[in-house]
Amino acid sequence: MKKTFVFLGLFLSLMSLGVRASADDGYRLWMKYDLISNPQKVKEYRESIKAWMVEGSSPTIEAAKHELRIALDGLLGSNIPEVSSVKEDGELIAGTYTSSSPFAAAGLKNMVIKVGQEGFVILREKVSGQNAIVITANTEIGVLYGVFHFLRLLQTEQDISSLRIISFPRIKLRMLDHWDNLNGTVERGYAGFSIWNWHTLPTFIKRRYIDYARANASIGINGAVLNNVNADPRIMTRHYLKKVAALADVFRPYGIKVYLCANFDAPIILGKMKTANPTDPRVQEWWKDKAKEIYSFIPDFGGFLVKANSEGQPGPSDYGLTQADGANLLANAVKPYGGIVMWRAFVYTYNAKDRAKQAYEIFKPLDGKFADNVLLQIKNGPLDFQPREPFTPLFGAMPKTNLMMEFQITMEYLGQGTSTVYLAPLFKETLESDTYAKGKGSTVAKVIDGSLDAHTLTGIAGVSNIGADRNWTGNEFGQSSWYAFGRLAWNPNLSSEEIADEWIRMTFSNDKDVVSSIEDMMMQSREAVVNYMDPLGLNMIFGYDNHYGPGPWIDYSPHPDWNSTYYHRADSLGIGFDRTKSGSDAVSQYHPPLSGEFASLTECPPKFLLWFHHVRWDYRMKSGKTLWDEICYHYYAGVDSVREMQKVWNSLKGKIDNEEWNDERMFLEIQEKEAVWWRNACVLYFQTFSKMPIPAGLEKPDKTLEYYESLKFPNAPGTW
Ligand code: BDP
């Protein structure tokens, strides 16, 4: 611990020297701390914060001090002194709450009681007879979170004349899942290569690791799974554990625990055993010994994430056992140390009549069979991170199991690293979906925050979009989805607009027009992608393997459910996957009235129409248009939105940093081309079935279907 403290201190002081590029390269994320541009605000804030102090001196407290030091000096444009006690009106004091705190007061105590182990209180109070701003919490990490929250108020130029904030996270485990491989590549790596340098660890601590921890703490993320779910078991060897421990040391002051993906066959691969059968006592012993070894390196190791019997990964089914048998094996091993297991529900075989039904069929019968330190990690939709899916019906179907959400922040199926897609609306759409498990109002958010079925071990994970790119995410707008994920993990009730507003103000500008223009762009960005890729419930029609660009014609995979044709089912009569009783009956996995609504051609929300129904090309939609025309209009509307986004962005030239502006201009240029490509390729392909004309007035595709089918992408990322 002491050693960490020393090198952390060293880096923090280096950072406070402040190496800044004149043109913004996006490295500083939403923690830019440049001088607030409104002089009136600066004046007002300086009067409220003439000096500051944070009580104590642990690594977490030092992190809070560091943040206040660089942020206040930067935002307010002059040195705001650090003091050791409150002596005059207008000072800021932060620290954990105890009865001997200088700000101890009965009212405050009652507030602090409510915020638990990670929450905080910010308010104005008399301290030593002076008017002060107090940031306090039950724990040091709560204080750090409170400091970040307070700084956000300044960064977004909020009124701080009267403060009374009580904030605490609704979800216990707020995780980033890194799909990083030991060779430095990243599965689906849209922001380049891995940020972990396994060669130079454990001795060389990149500044990026500390800034990573700062960024995550600023939005309340408290866990990081360091390696790919398609796990290389060597991560659990001594050689790597030393390196993992070094990262854990860096993250600890920021409240972030490390977790590892475990390979179920590790006893065979590492332990040279003949089997990984969970019922074999020697296998059980092997896992217990392994857990002991891991905890000897990382005393607060969080636990394991496991992908088993999925896409070639080993698992308990190899021994005729259930997924619960597998999960409980690992859960028992980490239990003595307070560790947990996140067991993924992304399990399917390749020949199912309907892949979307499989996870439910496999896992629902196991409700109540998982150990209490297991969470079942479920992707938001029943298939695989599509631009739009209905929620996975397992949410609301396993009341006796700890269920956690898995979102994908990296945009495997949404235009990848170059596209501008703000994902909060996608996250919110799932979180706000009503499962009806216990009647109206049983939202997915209530399932995962534990309130619906009284669970205390709760979690939410986002597959990270972070890589080695200077600005972390490739396209800077990728940062907005990372930011939104953290904010929603803390409080799923925040709106997409509120979060966008915060992020824009901290990232680009507080100028009213700039904020509203960029917000407008962000808020339409997800629907734009849905429209030009997968309108009306279409899905999984991507380029083969690389998932780049359109590939509705893909029908040559040896795995039937890796073919686009398996999903869209276009024929001379119509298009869409019949999941009603006459088809796969996936609708029956939902509770009524949802099951009935989805099953009815007329009541099914248009956005899910082709997910649940095979619909005739000439079917009259509520809009009065035929299905074919409706599909066409959606594809064209998607392209129009991207052009609109370009227009908005072009209008911002000179109003934000030029380098950031120019980068996004180029990314939008790529996106516009890709949107047209998607639209033309899909419309031309589906037209071979509908045999209907593209509605009059819409621009005609300038290339043939054969041309689109012939395209190759040797440089598409993520196909290592
Ligand atoms: C799919 C990705 C694949 C991942 C898999 C998973 O194509 O690379 O390994 O998800 O979640 O979307 O395990």
Side-chain angles (χ1 to χ4, degrees):
M1 186 66 109
K2 208 161 167 221
K3 222 164 94 198
T4 318
F5 184 76
V6 172
F7 69 64
L8 191 67
L10 181 73
F11 274 101
L12 294 181
S13 36
L14 274 178
M15 283 175 61
S16 51
L17 292 177
V19 185
R20 263 179 210 173
S22 54
D24 208 307
D25 59 11
Y27 178 81
R28 294 176 298 155
L29 296 158
W30 47 87
M31 305 172 298
K32 292 188 172 167
Y33 305 147
D34 290 333
L35 176 65
I36 292 171
S37 57
N38 178 346
Q40 190 49 38
K41 279 282 167 201
V42 174
K43 188 163 167 276
E44 188 187 313
Y45 292 158
R46 277 198 197 143
E47 273 159 22
S48 292
I49 318 162
K50 293 186 191 127
W52 61 273
M53 63 171 290
V54 186
E55 295 198 301
S57 66
S58 72
T60 300
I61 291 298
E62 289 309 315
K65 287 183 187 171
H66 165 74
E67 212 61 38
L68 278 172
R69 191 174 299 128
I70 57 165
L72 292 179
D73 289 0
L75 291 165
L76 305 186
S78 65
N79 179 259
I80 309 294
E82 182 181 353
V83 290
S84 52
S85 65
V86 175
K87 291 214 178 69
E88 59 169 328
D89 261 9
E91 293 188 352
L92 180 145
I93 175 164
T96 50
Y97 188 91
T98 67
S99 51
S100 57
S101 308
F103 43 77
L108 185 51
K109 187 174 177 188
N110 288 337
M111 291 163 86
V112 177
I113 284 170
K114 296 193 191 130
V115 301
Q117 289 306 295
E118 293 179 294
F120 55 83
V121 173
I122 305 177
L123 86 170
R124 284 185 173 272
E125 234 216 1
K126 285 251 182 239
V127 179
S128 315
Q130 310 295 330
N131 289 320
I133 294 173
V134 175
I135 303 175
T136 189
N138 291 308
T139 57
E140 291 178 344
I141 190 65
V143 173
L144 181 62
Y145 287 154
V147 163
F148 275 117
H149 188 98
F150 179 73
L151 292 175
R152 178 157 53 233
L153 298 180
L154 305 188
Q155 288 174 278
T156 56
E157 299 189 6
Q158 304 301 304
D159 180 8
I160 59 163
S161 57
S162 63
L163 288 166
R164 195 185 166 80
I165 296 166
I166 303 180
S167 183
F168 55 89
R170 307 295 196 283
I171 299 171
K172 189 167 174 183
L173 306 174
R174 305 176 299 278
M175 317 273 296
L176 278 189
D177 289 359
H178 293 266
W179 282 0
D180 294 21
N181 297 315
L182 301 183
N183 65 4
T185 60
V186 181
E187 173 108 6
R188 312 291 173 192
Y190 306 124
F193 292 85
S194 174
I195 55 169
W196 320 131
N197 187 327
W198 296 113
H199 178 57
T200 54
L201 279 167
T203 313
F204 186 71
I205 302 299
K206 283 204 263 180
R207 201 160 107 186
R208 189 173 274 254
Y209 303 153
I210 300 165
D211 290 332
Y212 166 90
R214 286 176 57 230
N216 280 326
S218 79
I219 50 175
I221 285 172
N222 65 1
V225 182
L226 302 186
N227 61 319
N228 194 351
V229 285
N230 301 314
D232 186 328
R234 288 175 301 168
I235 192 80
M236 293 194 298
T237 57
R238 258 187 98 73
H239 174 77
Y240 281 99
L241 288 176
K242 280 192 223 156
K243 299 167 189 280
V244 172
L247 288 175
D249 288 345
V250 175
F251 300 164
R252 189 169 295 113
Y254 292 91
I256 300 164
K257 280 190 182 183
V258 301
Y259 299 76
L260 294 176
C261 282
N263 183 306
F264 199 77
D265 269 354
I268 301 174
I269 303 166
L270 302 180
K272 308 279 173 247
M273 298 180 65
K274 293 224 157 47
T275 178
N277 189 328
T279 61
D280 187 322
R282 283 165 306 173
V283 171
Q284 295 164 7
E285 246 357 86
W286 189 88
W287 280 107
K288 283 187 182 151
D289 290 346
K290 184 47 77 183
K292 192 171 169 195
E293 187 187 3
I294 295 175
Y295 279 92
S296 74
F297 283 95
I298 311 146
D300 56 354
F301 176 63
F304 295 123
L305 170 64
V306 188
K307 171 175 178 178
N309 295 122
S310 165
E311 301 182 333
Q313 295 300 315
S317 316
D318 304 345
Y319 307 96
L321 297 166
T322 70
Q323 294 281 316
D325 296 325
N328 295 346
L329 167 74
L330 274 70
N332 282 340
V334 293
K335 175 114 184 159
Y337 312 94
I340 56 124
V341 167
M342 295 164 288
W343 192 264
R344 296 179 89 222
F346 182 65
V347 180
Y348 66 97
T349 54
Y350 299 124
N351 318 306
K353 189 173 164 206
D354 182 0
R355 177 171 143 190
K357 286 182 74 178
Q358 284 188 286
Y360 183 99
E361 285 165 347
I362 296 166
F363 286 96
K364 183 172 161 50
L366 300 176
D367 191 25
K369 304 246 160 50
F370 289 92
D372 59 7
N373 59 335
V374 173
L375 294 110
L376 190 62
Q377 180 168 308
I378 307 169
K379 290 188 182 184
N380 57 292
L383 279 177
D384 193 5
F385 300 136
Q386 297 301 290
R388 169 165 283 134
E389 295 185 47
F391 70 88
T392 302
L394 276 174
F395 294 113
M398 298 184 68
K400 289 184 250 157
T401 307
N402 303 316
L403 303 182
M404 76 184 274
M405 172 66 71
E406 180 175 326
F407 283 125
Q408 196 181 43
I409 311 174
T410 199
M411 300 199 300
E412 177 175 357
Y413 296 100
L414 289 102
Q416 310 190 343
T418 51
S419 291
T420 298
V421 188
Y422 171 54
L423 293 178
L426 186 160
F427 302 155
K428 288 287 289 182
E429 186 171 287
T430 307
L431 293 168
E432 284 172 356
S433 296
D434 200 338
T435 69
Y436 290 94
K438 289 188 168 170
K440 200 171 164 41
S442 309
T443 59
V444 172
K446 286 188 189 163
V447 175
I448 64 158
D449 73 11
S451 59
L452 193 71
D453 299 305
H455 289 289
T456 50
L457 182 55
T458 57
I460 182 166
V463 178
S464 148
N465 58 349
I466 298 166
D469 273 17
R470 177 71 189 154
N471 72 1
W472 307 81
T473 52
N475 181 331
E476 199 169 346
F477 276 84
Q479 298 177 3
S480 70
S481 297
W482 171 12
Y483 180 83
F485 170 77
R487 298 288 287 134
L488 286 171
W490 185 274
N491 181 4
N493 300 325
L494 293 173
S495 72
S496 303
E497 289 86 350
E498 276 173 88
I499 299 171
D501 192 271
E502 286 175 8
W503 180 78
I504 298 163
R505 287 170 182 277
M506 292 189 286
T507 305
F508 294 118
S509 164
N510 271 293
D511 178 276
K512 228 167 73 251
D513 295 337
V514 172
V515 174
S516 74
S517 300
I518 301 181
E519 190 175 317
D520 181 48
M521 199 177 123
M522 288 165 75
M523 289 307 296
Q524 62 174 307
S525 59
R526 188 271 184 131
E527 209 56 37
V529 167
V530 170
N531 279 335
Y532 68 72
M533 289 184 179
D534 281 324
L536 300 171
L538 285 173
N539 58 89
M540 285 284 197
I541 53 174
F542 293 82
Y544 188 63
D545 210 20
N546 55 28
H547 297 164
Y548 176 62
W553 47 81
I554 305 292
D555 63 357
Y556 45 76
S557 167
H559 303 315
D561 68 340
W562 283 11
N563 286 315
S564 303
T565 48
Y566 174 98
Y567 294 96
H568 63 66
R569 312 228 161 176
D571 57 24
S572 61
L573 295 179
I575 180 170
F577 198 125
D578 183 2
R579 292 193 165 100
T580 68
K581 278 217 164 13
S582 54
S584 77
D585 199 27
V587 289
S588 67
Q589 294 183 336
Y590 292 90
H591 293 280
L594 216 48
S595 45
E597 195 180 293
F598 287 157
S600 151
L601 185 59
T602 49
E603 281 173 45
C604 182
K607 62 182 179 188
F608 296 134
L609 186 67
L610 305 179
W611 180 282
F612 288 113
H613 296 270
H614 189 76
V615 184
R616 293 179 59 91
W617 295 111
D618 59 3
Y619 174 75
R620 280 278 153 208
M621 304 284 290
K622 281 205 188 96
S623 64
K625 297 189 189 83
T626 62
L627 172 69
W628 167 251
D629 281 0
E630 189 79 34
I631 290 177
C632 290
Y633 278 111
H634 273 83
Y635 273 110
Y636 279 78
V639 172
D640 290 348
S641 298
V642 177
R643 290 180 178 156
E644 174 63 29
M645 285 160 64
Q646 283 185 299
K647 240 193 247 152
V648 173
W649 193 256
N650 289 341
S651 76
L652 296 173
K653 187 169 166 54
K655 296 186 182 158
I656 61 170
D657 177 88
N658 199 48
E659 187 165 328
E660 287 172 304
W661 178 84
N662 198 34
D663 283 355
E664 176 61 4
R665 181 192 61 74
M666 293 186 282
F667 279 130
L668 284 171
E669 197 177 312
I670 295 177
Q671 191 170 356
E672 196 267 346
K673 285 204 186 85
E674 291 181 355
V676 172
W677 166 34
W678 265 95
R679 179 195 74 189
N680 290 354
C682 291
V683 168
L684 288 172
Y685 171 77
F686 291 132
Q687 194 178 35
T688 64
F689 299 94
S690 79
K691 310 258 189 271
M692 293 162 89
I694 295 172
L698 300 180
E699 68 188 29
K700 298 282 168 282
D702 57 351
K703 303 261 182 351
T704 62
L705 178 59
E706 292 65 40
Y707 165 80
Y708 291 117
E709 288 190 31
S710 72
L711 297 176
K712 300 264 178 300
F713 307 97
N715 305 114
T719 46
W720 313 113

